[in-house]
Amino acid sequence: MDHRLAVVMATDMVGYSRLMEIDELGVLARLKKYRQELIDPEITRSRGDIVKTTGDGMLVTFESVRDAVACAITIQEQMVSFEDEICEEKKIRFRVGINLGDIIFDEDDIFGDGVNVAARLEGLAEPGGISVSDIVHQSVSDRIDAPFRDMGAQRVKNISRPIRVWQWAPYEPPTRKAPEISLNQRVNYCQSADGTHLAWASTGAGTPVLKAPNWLNHIEYEWTSPVWGDFLSEYSKLCRLVRFDQRGNGLSDWEVDDISEDRMIDDMLAVADAAELESFGLFGISQGAAFSMRFAAKYPKRVKFLILLGGYARGRMMRDDPDAAQFYEASKAMVSAGWGSPSPFYRHFFTSAYIPDATKLEGDSFDEMQRVSTSPENAMKIMGMNAYVDARIEARSIRVPTLVLHAKGDMAVPIKEGREIARTIPAAGFVELPGANHCMIRGHPGFDEFFQEIGPFLTENSI
Protein backbone atom coordinates (compact mmCIF):
# COMPACT_ATOMS: atom_id res chain seq x y z
CA MET A 1 0.00 0.00 0.00
CA ASP A 2 1.15 3.52 -0.81
CA HIS A 3 0.04 6.79 0.82
CA ARG A 4 0.34 9.95 -1.21
CA LEU A 5 -1.36 13.26 -1.92
CA ALA A 6 -3.57 13.10 -4.99
CA VAL A 7 -6.57 14.70 -6.64
CA VAL A 8 -9.60 12.41 -6.81
CA MET A 9 -12.50 12.85 -9.21
CA ALA A 10 -15.66 10.82 -8.55
CA THR A 11 -18.34 10.66 -11.24
CA ASP A 12 -21.83 9.22 -11.30
CA MET A 13 -24.59 9.04 -13.90
CA VAL A 14 -27.79 10.73 -12.74
CA GLY A 15 -30.81 8.41 -12.66
CA TYR A 16 -28.86 5.42 -14.03
CA SER A 17 -31.41 2.76 -13.01
CA ARG A 18 -34.29 4.77 -14.45
CA LEU A 19 -32.48 5.36 -17.73
CA MET A 20 -31.59 1.68 -18.04
CA GLU A 21 -35.20 0.72 -17.49
CA ILE A 22 -36.34 3.09 -20.25
CA ASP A 23 -33.74 2.13 -22.88
CA GLU A 24 -31.02 -0.23 -21.70
CA LEU A 25 -29.31 -0.87 -25.03
CA GLY A 26 -29.55 2.75 -26.14
CA VAL A 27 -28.05 4.09 -22.90
CA LEU A 28 -25.17 1.60 -22.97
CA ALA A 29 -24.43 2.39 -26.61
CA ARG A 30 -24.37 6.15 -25.99
CA LEU A 31 -22.27 5.77 -22.87
CA LYS A 32 -19.73 3.65 -24.78
CA LYS A 33 -19.61 6.25 -27.55
CA TYR A 34 -19.10 9.12 -25.09
CA ARG A 35 -16.31 7.30 -23.31
CA GLN A 36 -14.51 6.55 -26.56
CA GLU A 37 -14.93 9.99 -28.10
CA LEU A 38 -14.91 12.33 -25.08
CA ILE A 39 -14.44 11.07 -21.54
CA ASP A 40 -11.45 8.71 -21.73
CA PRO A 41 -9.47 10.85 -24.23
CA GLU A 42 -10.02 13.99 -22.15
CA ILE A 43 -8.87 12.23 -18.98
CA THR A 44 -5.74 10.99 -20.77
CA ARG A 45 -5.05 14.44 -22.21
CA SER A 46 -5.38 15.88 -18.68
CA ARG A 47 -2.88 13.34 -17.31
CA GLY A 48 -5.49 11.48 -15.31
CA ASP A 49 -5.64 7.77 -14.47
CA ILE A 50 -8.93 5.86 -14.34
CA VAL A 51 -8.68 3.76 -11.19
CA LYS A 52 -11.93 1.88 -11.57
CA THR A 53 -15.30 2.08 -13.25
CA THR A 54 -18.79 1.00 -12.31
CA GLY A 55 -21.84 0.75 -14.49
CA ASP A 56 -22.71 4.38 -13.88
CA GLY A 57 -19.52 6.07 -12.76
CA MET A 58 -15.77 6.03 -12.21
CA LEU A 59 -12.95 7.09 -9.90
CA VAL A 60 -10.06 9.00 -11.47
CA THR A 61 -6.85 10.37 -9.97
CA PHE A 62 -4.83 13.37 -11.17
CA GLU A 63 -1.51 14.87 -10.14
CA SER A 64 -2.71 18.42 -10.84
CA VAL A 65 -5.76 20.11 -9.33
CA ARG A 66 -6.04 22.41 -12.34
CA ASP A 67 -5.96 19.46 -14.75
CA ALA A 68 -8.72 17.69 -12.83
CA VAL A 69 -11.06 20.68 -12.72
CA ALA A 70 -10.42 21.67 -16.35
CA CYS A 71 -11.01 18.07 -17.42
CA ALA A 72 -14.32 17.89 -15.55
CA ILE A 73 -15.56 21.20 -16.95
CA THR A 74 -14.67 20.19 -20.52
CA ILE A 75 -16.48 16.87 -20.21
CA GLN A 76 -19.59 18.44 -18.68
CA GLU A 77 -19.73 21.22 -21.26
CA GLN A 78 -19.30 18.78 -24.14
CA MET A 79 -21.95 16.45 -22.72
CA VAL A 80 -24.51 19.23 -23.13
CA SER A 81 -23.95 19.32 -26.90
CA PHE A 82 -23.65 15.52 -27.16
CA GLU A 83 -27.11 15.10 -25.63
CA ASP A 84 -28.70 18.18 -27.16
CA GLU A 85 -31.12 16.27 -29.39
CA ILE A 86 -32.11 13.70 -26.73
CA CYS A 87 -35.43 14.32 -24.97
CA GLU A 88 -35.16 15.56 -21.38
CA GLU A 89 -36.38 12.30 -19.85
CA LYS A 90 -33.65 10.27 -21.56
CA LYS A 91 -30.66 12.62 -21.29
CA ILE A 92 -27.46 11.23 -19.82
CA ARG A 93 -26.02 13.60 -17.22
CA PHE A 94 -23.11 13.16 -14.88
CA ARG A 95 -22.38 14.58 -11.47
CA VAL A 96 -18.74 15.15 -10.55
CA GLY A 97 -17.00 15.62 -7.21
CA ILE A 98 -13.33 16.62 -6.90
CA ASN A 99 -11.17 16.61 -3.78
CA LEU A 100 -7.49 16.87 -2.91
CA GLY A 101 -6.34 14.64 -0.08
CA ASP A 102 -4.10 11.92 1.26
CA ILE A 103 -5.02 8.75 -0.63
CA ILE A 104 -4.21 5.08 -0.01
CA PHE A 105 -3.23 3.32 -3.24
CA ASP A 106 -3.64 -0.46 -2.93
CA GLU A 107 -2.99 -2.38 -6.15
CA ASP A 108 -5.84 -1.40 -8.49
CA ASP A 109 -7.97 0.57 -6.01
CA ILE A 110 -7.85 3.68 -3.85
CA PHE A 111 -9.16 4.29 -0.35
CA GLY A 112 -9.17 6.84 2.41
CA ASP A 113 -10.90 9.95 3.64
CA GLY A 114 -9.92 11.89 0.52
CA VAL A 115 -11.80 9.40 -1.65
CA ASN A 116 -14.86 9.44 0.62
CA VAL A 117 -15.03 13.24 0.49
CA ALA A 118 -14.86 13.21 -3.32
CA ALA A 119 -17.75 10.74 -3.42
CA ARG A 120 -19.84 12.91 -1.11
CA LEU A 121 -19.05 16.01 -3.15
CA GLU A 122 -20.29 14.19 -6.25
CA GLY A 123 -23.61 13.59 -4.49
CA LEU A 124 -23.98 17.32 -3.83
CA ALA A 125 -23.37 18.32 -7.45
CA GLU A 126 -26.20 19.40 -9.71
CA PRO A 127 -26.99 17.14 -12.70
CA GLY A 128 -24.39 18.11 -15.29
CA GLY A 129 -22.45 20.00 -12.64
CA ILE A 130 -19.33 19.78 -10.49
CA SER A 131 -18.78 20.17 -6.73
CA VAL A 132 -15.29 20.72 -5.35
CA SER A 133 -13.87 21.01 -1.86
CA ASP A 134 -12.56 24.32 -0.58
CA ILE A 135 -8.91 23.29 -0.95
CA VAL A 136 -9.55 22.48 -4.62
CA HIS A 137 -11.31 25.80 -5.20
CA GLN A 138 -8.50 27.76 -3.56
CA SER A 139 -6.03 26.03 -5.86
CA VAL A 140 -7.83 26.91 -9.10
CA SER A 141 -9.85 30.06 -8.38
CA ASP A 142 -7.34 32.34 -10.10
CA ARG A 143 -6.18 29.79 -12.70
CA ILE A 144 -9.43 28.72 -14.34
CA ASP A 145 -11.93 31.13 -15.84
CA ALA A 146 -15.07 29.38 -14.58
CA PRO A 147 -17.63 30.62 -12.03
CA PHE A 148 -17.95 28.52 -8.89
CA ARG A 149 -20.73 29.29 -6.41
CA ASP A 150 -20.01 29.11 -2.69
CA MET A 151 -22.45 26.68 -1.05
CA GLY A 152 -20.95 27.21 2.38
CA ALA A 153 -20.01 24.45 4.80
CA GLN A 154 -21.98 21.26 4.34
CA ARG A 155 -22.54 18.21 6.48
CA VAL A 156 -22.28 14.97 4.50
CA LYS A 157 -22.98 11.38 5.46
CA ASN A 158 -20.23 9.50 7.31
CA ILE A 159 -17.90 12.55 7.39
CA SER A 160 -17.71 13.97 10.90
CA ARG A 161 -16.55 17.46 9.99
CA PRO A 162 -18.37 20.06 7.85
CA ILE A 163 -16.93 20.49 4.36
CA ARG A 164 -17.01 23.79 2.52
CA VAL A 165 -18.35 23.17 -0.97
CA TRP A 166 -18.08 25.13 -4.22
CA GLN A 167 -20.37 24.34 -7.15
CA TRP A 168 -20.11 24.78 -10.93
CA ALA A 169 -22.92 24.10 -13.42
CA PRO A 170 -23.21 24.78 -17.18
CA TYR A 171 -26.10 27.18 -16.64
CA GLU A 172 -25.25 28.44 -13.17
CA PRO A 173 -27.42 31.45 -12.21
CA PRO A 174 -25.60 34.61 -11.08
CA THR A 175 -24.28 34.28 -7.55
CA ARG A 176 -26.43 36.19 -5.11
CA LYS A 177 -24.41 38.39 -2.81
CA ALA A 178 -25.05 37.78 0.86
CA PRO A 179 -26.33 40.78 2.85
CA GLU A 180 -23.57 42.84 4.45
CA ILE A 181 -24.72 42.02 7.98
CA SER A 182 -23.98 38.33 7.36
CA LEU A 183 -20.26 39.13 7.27
CA ASN A 184 -20.41 39.61 11.05
CA GLN A 185 -21.69 36.08 11.60
CA ARG A 186 -19.40 33.56 13.26
CA VAL A 187 -20.49 29.93 13.50
CA ASN A 188 -20.11 28.47 16.99
CA TYR A 189 -20.78 25.01 18.39
CA CYS A 190 -22.30 23.81 21.63
CA GLN A 191 -23.48 20.48 23.01
CA SER A 192 -27.04 19.58 23.86
CA ALA A 193 -27.93 17.49 26.91
CA ASP A 194 -27.40 14.21 25.04
CA GLY A 195 -24.07 15.26 23.54
CA THR A 196 -25.36 16.32 20.11
CA HIS A 197 -23.27 19.12 18.61
CA LEU A 198 -25.29 22.14 17.47
CA ALA A 199 -24.12 24.92 15.16
CA TRP A 200 -25.32 28.38 16.18
CA ALA A 201 -24.62 32.00 15.30
CA SER A 202 -25.91 35.48 16.02
CA THR A 203 -26.19 38.72 14.09
CA GLY A 204 -27.35 42.19 15.03
CA ALA A 205 -27.41 43.91 18.38
CA GLY A 206 -29.89 44.89 21.06
CA THR A 207 -32.76 42.84 22.43
CA PRO A 208 -31.83 39.14 22.17
CA VAL A 209 -34.21 36.90 20.21
CA LEU A 210 -33.69 33.16 19.83
CA LYS A 211 -35.12 31.65 16.65
CA ALA A 212 -36.70 28.23 17.20
CA PRO A 213 -35.98 25.48 14.64
CA ASN A 214 -38.28 25.17 11.63
CA TRP A 215 -38.41 23.00 8.50
CA LEU A 216 -34.73 22.65 7.56
CA ASN A 217 -32.12 25.27 8.28
CA HIS A 218 -28.57 26.07 7.25
CA ILE A 219 -27.24 29.09 9.12
CA GLU A 220 -24.60 29.80 6.47
CA TYR A 221 -26.34 28.89 3.23
CA GLU A 222 -29.52 30.79 4.16
CA TRP A 223 -27.71 34.11 3.70
CA THR A 224 -27.35 33.65 -0.07
CA SER A 225 -30.92 32.43 -0.46
CA PRO A 226 -33.37 34.91 -2.03
CA VAL A 227 -35.99 33.37 0.28
CA TRP A 228 -34.13 33.88 3.57
CA GLY A 229 -31.23 36.29 3.05
CA ASP A 230 -33.13 39.58 3.05
CA PHE A 231 -35.53 38.38 5.73
CA LEU A 232 -32.73 37.54 8.15
CA SER A 233 -30.93 40.77 7.30
CA GLU A 234 -33.95 42.92 8.09
CA TYR A 235 -34.65 40.97 11.29
CA SER A 236 -31.03 41.40 12.45
CA LYS A 237 -31.35 45.17 12.11
CA LEU A 238 -34.00 45.16 14.85
CA CYS A 239 -32.43 42.92 17.49
CA ARG A 240 -29.70 40.43 18.28
CA LEU A 241 -30.97 37.40 16.37
CA VAL A 242 -29.59 34.04 17.52
CA ARG A 243 -30.15 31.11 15.13
CA PHE A 244 -29.10 27.48 15.11
CA ASP A 245 -29.35 24.45 12.88
CA GLN A 246 -31.61 21.88 14.46
CA ARG A 247 -30.11 18.45 15.00
CA GLY A 248 -30.07 16.33 11.88
CA ASN A 249 -29.59 19.19 9.44
CA GLY A 250 -27.42 22.11 8.41
CA LEU A 251 -24.07 22.28 10.20
CA SER A 252 -25.27 20.47 13.33
CA ASP A 253 -24.75 16.73 13.87
CA TRP A 254 -26.56 14.59 11.29
CA GLU A 255 -25.88 11.18 12.83
CA VAL A 256 -28.44 11.39 15.65
CA ASP A 257 -30.98 8.81 16.76
CA ASP A 258 -33.39 11.02 18.68
CA ILE A 259 -35.15 13.78 16.75
CA SER A 260 -38.13 14.68 18.92
CA GLU A 261 -40.00 17.55 20.57
CA ASP A 262 -38.20 17.06 23.87
CA ARG A 263 -34.81 17.16 22.20
CA MET A 264 -35.77 20.39 20.39
CA ILE A 265 -36.43 22.01 23.76
CA ASP A 266 -33.11 20.71 25.10
CA ASP A 267 -31.35 22.08 22.04
CA MET A 268 -32.96 25.50 22.38
CA LEU A 269 -31.81 25.64 26.01
CA ALA A 270 -28.27 24.58 25.09
CA VAL A 271 -28.00 27.34 22.45
CA ALA A 272 -29.50 29.96 24.78
CA ASP A 273 -26.94 29.07 27.44
CA ALA A 274 -24.06 29.01 24.95
CA ALA A 275 -25.08 32.46 23.66
CA GLU A 276 -25.36 33.67 27.28
CA LEU A 277 -29.02 34.61 26.90
CA GLU A 278 -30.51 35.02 30.34
CA SER A 279 -33.70 36.84 29.39
CA PHE A 280 -34.79 36.80 25.74
CA GLY A 281 -37.57 36.66 23.23
CA LEU A 282 -38.48 33.67 21.07
CA PHE A 283 -39.21 33.74 17.36
CA GLY A 284 -41.02 30.73 15.93
CA ILE A 285 -41.90 30.08 12.29
CA SER A 286 -44.25 27.20 11.42
CA GLN A 287 -43.56 24.31 13.86
CA GLY A 288 -41.07 26.62 15.55
CA ALA A 289 -44.13 28.28 17.07
CA ALA A 290 -45.02 25.04 18.87
CA PHE A 291 -41.46 24.61 20.12
CA SER A 292 -41.43 28.23 21.29
CA MET A 293 -44.64 27.71 23.27
CA ARG A 294 -43.34 24.54 24.87
CA PHE A 295 -40.05 26.24 25.80
CA ALA A 296 -41.81 29.30 27.24
CA ALA A 297 -44.04 27.09 29.37
CA LYS A 298 -41.09 25.05 30.67
CA TYR A 299 -38.74 28.00 31.26
CA PRO A 300 -41.04 30.96 31.97
CA LYS A 301 -38.36 32.98 33.75
CA ARG A 302 -36.10 32.95 30.68
CA VAL A 303 -38.66 34.05 28.05
CA LYS A 304 -39.86 37.66 27.86
CA PHE A 305 -41.99 37.58 24.70
CA LEU A 306 -42.98 35.51 21.68
CA ILE A 307 -43.21 36.37 17.97
CA LEU A 308 -44.90 33.60 16.00
CA LEU A 309 -45.16 33.58 12.21
CA GLY A 310 -47.26 31.13 10.19
CA GLY A 311 -47.31 28.90 13.25
CA TYR A 312 -49.38 26.15 14.75
CA ALA A 313 -49.76 24.52 18.13
CA ARG A 314 -50.80 21.13 16.74
CA GLY A 315 -49.14 19.21 13.92
CA ARG A 316 -50.97 17.91 10.86
CA MET A 317 -51.79 14.56 12.42
CA MET A 318 -53.18 16.20 15.56
CA ARG A 319 -55.84 18.34 13.82
CA ASP A 320 -58.51 15.77 13.03
CA ASP A 321 -58.38 17.14 9.50
CA PRO A 322 -58.44 14.66 6.58
CA ASP A 323 -56.81 17.19 4.24
CA ALA A 324 -53.90 17.73 6.64
CA ALA A 325 -53.47 13.98 7.08
CA GLN A 326 -53.52 13.48 3.32
CA PHE A 327 -50.82 16.13 2.87
CA TYR A 328 -48.67 14.39 5.48
CA GLU A 329 -49.00 11.02 3.75
CA ALA A 330 -48.14 12.62 0.40
CA SER A 331 -45.13 14.30 2.01
CA LYS A 332 -43.85 10.98 3.35
CA ALA A 333 -44.22 9.43 -0.09
CA MET A 334 -42.27 12.28 -1.69
CA VAL A 335 -39.41 12.04 0.82
CA SER A 336 -39.29 8.26 0.57
CA ALA A 337 -39.39 8.23 -3.23
CA GLY A 338 -36.75 10.76 -4.06
CA TRP A 339 -35.52 13.26 -1.47
CA GLY A 340 -31.92 12.37 -2.19
CA SER A 341 -32.46 12.65 -5.93
CA PRO A 342 -30.73 15.51 -7.75
CA SER A 343 -34.07 16.20 -9.42
CA PRO A 344 -35.94 18.96 -7.56
CA PHE A 345 -39.32 17.36 -8.40
CA TYR A 346 -39.75 15.69 -5.01
CA ARG A 347 -38.62 18.68 -2.95
CA HIS A 348 -40.68 21.03 -5.11
CA PHE A 349 -43.75 19.42 -3.56
CA PHE A 350 -42.85 21.27 -0.35
CA THR A 351 -41.69 24.41 -2.13
CA SER A 352 -44.98 24.84 -3.99
CA ALA A 353 -46.87 24.59 -0.70
CA TYR A 354 -44.59 26.85 1.34
CA ILE A 355 -43.99 29.60 -1.24
CA PRO A 356 -46.60 29.25 -4.01
CA ASP A 357 -46.00 32.80 -5.26
CA ALA A 358 -42.22 32.39 -5.54
CA THR A 359 -40.34 33.25 -8.69
CA LYS A 360 -38.41 30.45 -10.40
CA LEU A 361 -35.15 31.68 -8.87
CA GLU A 362 -36.69 31.74 -5.38
CA GLY A 363 -38.29 28.34 -5.82
CA ASP A 364 -35.09 26.78 -7.17
CA SER A 365 -33.15 28.19 -4.23
CA PHE A 366 -35.62 26.75 -1.73
CA ASP A 367 -35.46 23.38 -3.48
CA GLU A 368 -31.68 23.36 -3.34
CA MET A 369 -31.48 24.44 0.28
CA GLN A 370 -33.67 21.51 1.28
CA ARG A 371 -31.38 19.15 -0.63
CA VAL A 372 -28.16 20.36 0.97
CA SER A 373 -29.62 20.83 4.46
CA THR A 374 -30.32 17.23 5.40
CA SER A 375 -30.42 13.57 4.41
CA PRO A 376 -33.57 11.73 3.27
CA GLU A 377 -33.59 9.78 6.55
CA ASN A 378 -33.43 12.90 8.69
CA ALA A 379 -35.98 14.73 6.56
CA MET A 380 -38.41 11.88 7.29
CA LYS A 381 -37.70 12.03 11.04
CA ILE A 382 -38.10 15.81 11.22
CA MET A 383 -41.32 15.68 9.23
CA GLY A 384 -42.72 12.97 11.50
CA MET A 385 -41.87 14.96 14.62
CA ASN A 386 -43.55 18.05 13.21
CA ALA A 387 -46.71 16.15 12.24
CA TYR A 388 -47.36 15.00 15.80
CA VAL A 389 -46.24 18.05 17.78
CA ASP A 390 -48.85 19.34 20.23
CA ALA A 391 -48.33 22.45 22.37
CA ARG A 392 -51.94 23.35 23.13
CA ILE A 393 -51.67 22.67 26.86
CA GLU A 394 -48.46 24.70 27.14
CA ALA A 395 -50.01 27.58 25.18
CA ARG A 396 -52.68 28.10 27.84
CA SER A 397 -50.03 28.67 30.52
CA ILE A 398 -48.06 31.39 28.69
CA ARG A 399 -48.19 34.81 30.34
CA VAL A 400 -45.73 36.86 28.29
CA PRO A 401 -46.48 39.36 25.49
CA THR A 402 -47.14 37.41 22.29
CA LEU A 403 -47.55 38.60 18.71
CA VAL A 404 -49.02 36.09 16.24
CA LEU A 405 -48.72 36.86 12.51
CA HIS A 406 -50.10 34.76 9.67
CA ALA A 407 -50.46 35.19 5.89
CA LYS A 408 -54.09 35.16 4.80
CA GLY A 409 -53.57 32.67 1.98
CA ASP A 410 -50.95 30.46 3.66
CA MET A 411 -51.23 27.03 2.00
CA ALA A 412 -48.71 25.22 4.22
CA VAL A 413 -50.45 26.18 7.49
CA PRO A 414 -54.04 27.46 7.27
CA ILE A 415 -54.60 30.82 8.92
CA LYS A 416 -57.11 29.22 11.28
CA GLU A 417 -54.17 27.55 13.07
CA GLY A 418 -52.63 30.96 13.74
CA ARG A 419 -55.93 32.32 15.00
CA GLU A 420 -56.23 29.30 17.29
CA ILE A 421 -52.85 30.13 18.84
CA ALA A 422 -53.91 33.73 19.44
CA ARG A 423 -57.14 32.58 21.09
CA THR A 424 -55.31 30.08 23.31
CA ILE A 425 -52.47 32.27 24.60
CA PRO A 426 -53.92 34.82 27.02
CA ALA A 427 -53.75 38.40 25.70
CA ALA A 428 -51.94 37.43 22.49
CA GLY A 429 -52.23 39.84 19.56
CA PHE A 430 -53.03 38.65 16.06
CA VAL A 431 -52.08 40.22 12.72
CA GLU A 432 -53.33 38.97 9.36
CA LEU A 433 -50.68 39.49 6.70
CA PRO A 434 -51.40 39.72 2.96
CA GLY A 435 -50.18 37.07 0.55
CA ALA A 436 -50.02 33.29 0.32
CA ASN A 437 -46.37 32.56 1.14
CA HIS A 438 -45.48 30.72 4.32
CA CYS A 439 -42.09 32.49 4.29
CA MET A 440 -41.75 36.25 4.05
CA ILE A 441 -39.81 37.12 0.87
CA ARG A 442 -38.76 40.62 -0.10
CA GLY A 443 -40.88 41.94 -2.97
CA HIS A 444 -43.86 39.75 -2.07
CA PRO A 445 -46.97 40.70 -0.08
CA GLY A 446 -46.46 40.38 3.66
CA PHE A 447 -42.71 41.09 3.85
CA ASP A 448 -42.88 44.81 4.58
CA GLU A 449 -46.01 44.43 6.70
CA PHE A 450 -44.30 41.80 8.88
CA PHE A 451 -41.45 44.14 9.82
CA GLN A 452 -43.80 47.09 10.26
CA GLU A 453 -45.58 45.05 12.93
CA ILE A 454 -42.65 43.46 14.78
CA GLY A 455 -40.54 46.65 14.91
CA PRO A 456 -42.78 48.45 17.43
CA PHE A 457 -43.41 45.19 19.29
CA LEU A 458 -39.66 44.64 19.79
CA THR A 459 -39.23 48.27 20.91
CA GLU A 460 -42.07 47.95 23.40
CA ASN A 461 -40.64 44.72 24.81
CA SER A 462 -36.95 45.60 24.66
CA ILE A 463 -34.83 44.03 27.34
Side-chain angles (χ1 to χ4, degrees):
M1 290 188 293
D2 179 27
H3 285 255
R4 66 176 184 267
L5 191 67
V7 186
V8 180
M9 180 173 79
T11 72
D12 172 71
M13 187 190 298
V14 179
Y16 177 73
S17 298
R18 177 183 59 80
L19 291 172
M20 291 290 282
E21 183 178 0
I22 294 173
D23 182 14
E24 184 179 75
L25 294 178
V27 168
L28 291 176
R30 282 154 55 210
L31 180 59
K32 182 178 180 180
K33 176 178 183 290
Y34 299 156
R35 285 203 57 183
Q36 290 176 342
E37 297 181 7
L38 170 65
I39 299 171
D40 290 24
E42 188 60 35
I43 290 173
T44 299
R45 192 189 67 78
S46 302
R47 299 178 296 169
D49 293 315
I50 299 175
V51 178
K52 66 178 180 181
T53 63
T54 58
D56 61 340
M58 62 174 62
L59 277 178
V60 185
T61 59
F62 297 83
E63 294 184 6
S64 161
V65 176
R66 185 185 183 282
D67 285 348
V69 174
C71 175
I73 291 175
T74 298
I75 291 172
Q76 294 290 50
E77 288 180 334
Q78 290 296 315
M79 280 299 299
V80 173
S81 58
F82 272 44
E83 290 281 284
D84 186 52
E85 296 182 2
I86 305 297
C87 69
E88 193 67 26
E89 185 183 31
K90 297 182 180 180
K91 284 185 186 295
I92 291 177
R93 290 192 179 94
F94 296 106
R95 295 177 300 189
V96 177
I98 302 176
N99 182 48
L100 171 65
D102 191 36
I103 309 300
I104 301 172
F105 289 79
D106 185 11
E107 297 183 352
D108 296 328
D109 210 345
I110 54 176
F111 305 93
D113 184 72
V115 179
N116 295 336
V117 171
R120 298 308 177 196
L121 288 168
E122 171 261 302
L124 288 171
E126 289 288 327
I130 304 165
S131 287
V132 304
S133 58
D134 191 50
I135 190 171
V136 169
H137 182 262
Q138 289 182 39
S139 299
V140 302
S141 60
D142 59 349
R143 300 167 62 199
I144 290 183
D145 185 20
F148 278 82
R149 181 158 57 95
D150 187 0
M151 297 179 69
Q154 300 290 334
R155 285 278 186 181
V156 294
K157 189 174 182 181
N158 297 329
I159 304 293
S160 60
R161 67 191 183 282
I163 299 170
R164 189 174 182 185
V165 179
W166 295 79
Q167 181 171 271
W168 174 93
Y171 307 111
E172 189 69 35
T175 301
R176 185 178 186 275
K177 186 178 180 180
E180 186 174 346
I181 199 168
S182 69
L183 300 177
N184 299 322
Q185 174 173 287
R186 296 293 180 269
V187 176
N188 305 283
Y189 283 89
C190 65
Q191 278 188 287
S192 192
D194 65 353
T196 298
H197 291 87
L198 305 169
W200 68 273
S202 70
T203 46
T207 299
V209 176
L210 174 65
K211 179 179 174 291
N214 57 274
W215 176 246
L216 306 187
N217 322 113
H218 194 300
I219 55 176
E220 277 195 341
Y221 190 64
E222 286 171 347
W223 286 112
T224 57
S225 164
V227 176
W228 292 111
D230 287 338
F231 178 82
L232 296 173
S233 177
E234 290 302 315
Y235 214 122
S236 300
K237 293 174 183 177
L238 300 175
C239 62
R240 180 194 174 197
L241 182 62
V242 178
R243 302 151 46 235
F244 72 99
D245 289 335
Q246 64 183 305
R247 59 178 58 211
N249 88 137
L251 298 178
S252 294
D253 282 350
W254 281 31
E255 305 299 320
V256 290
D257 295 323
D258 191 354
I259 296 179
S260 62
E261 291 183 59
D262 288 341
R263 297 295 77 75
M264 291 299 114
I265 306 307
D266 288 347
D267 293 353
M268 291 172 69
L269 179 63
V271 172
D273 288 344
E276 299 181 345
L277 306 182
E278 292 299 327
S279 177
F280 54 94
L282 285 173
F283 172 49
I285 304 176
S286 200
Q287 68 271 17
F291 300 141
S292 296
M293 289 183 280
R294 285 202 58 189
F295 187 96
K298 188 171 183 178
Y299 301 103
K301 293 183 179 179
R302 301 286 295 271
V303 178
K304 295 303 180 184
F305 61 84
L306 301 177
I307 298 175
L308 309 177
L309 171 63
Y312 54 85
R314 49 184 184 167
R316 296 185 192 279
M317 299 304 290
M318 305 301 290
R319 299 175 193 170
D320 194 24
D321 181 346
D323 290 339
Q326 185 178 23
F327 185 94
Y328 174 58
E329 293 301 326
S331 301
K332 287 200 301 182
M334 286 294 178
V335 171
S336 176
W339 183 270
S341 165
S343 169
F345 172 79
Y346 301 96
R347 295 176 301 278
H348 193 65
F349 172 82
F350 298 91
T351 302
S352 60
Y354 291 156
I355 46 176
D357 293 340
T359 64
K360 185 180 186 304
L361 180 63
E362 292 160 352
D364 289 348
S365 172
F366 196 81
D367 287 341
E368 185 179 65
M369 199 188 81
Q370 291 179 97
R371 179 173 70 89
V372 302
S373 289
T374 196
S375 65
E377 298 80 10
N378 286 343
M380 187 73 82
K381 290 178 182 178
I382 293 169
M383 188 174 61
M385 169 186 67
N386 295 339
Y388 288 93
V389 69
D390 192 346
R392 287 175 289 182
I393 293 176
E394 288 84 352
R396 299 187 187 103
S397 68
I398 294 173
R399 295 293 185 273
V400 296
T402 300
L403 180 61
V404 182
L405 307 101
H406 214 110
K408 181 178 181 180
D410 193 331
M411 295 174 60
V413 180
I415 193 171
K416 67 178 182 180
E417 296 299 322
R419 294 188 187 280
E420 184 64 27
I421 291 175
R423 282 195 293 265
T424 304
I425 297 178
F430 182 82
V431 175
E432 179 181 296
L433 298 173
N437 289 332
H438 191 54
C439 312
M440 297 294 104
I441 308 174
R442 186 185 293 280
H444 291 263
F447 183 91
D448 292 336
E449 291 85 351
F450 173 80
F451 288 106
Q452 288 167 7
E453 293 290 342
I454 72 165
F457 181 82
L458 284 167
T459 299
E460 183 180 343
N461 294 283
S462 60
I463 297 171

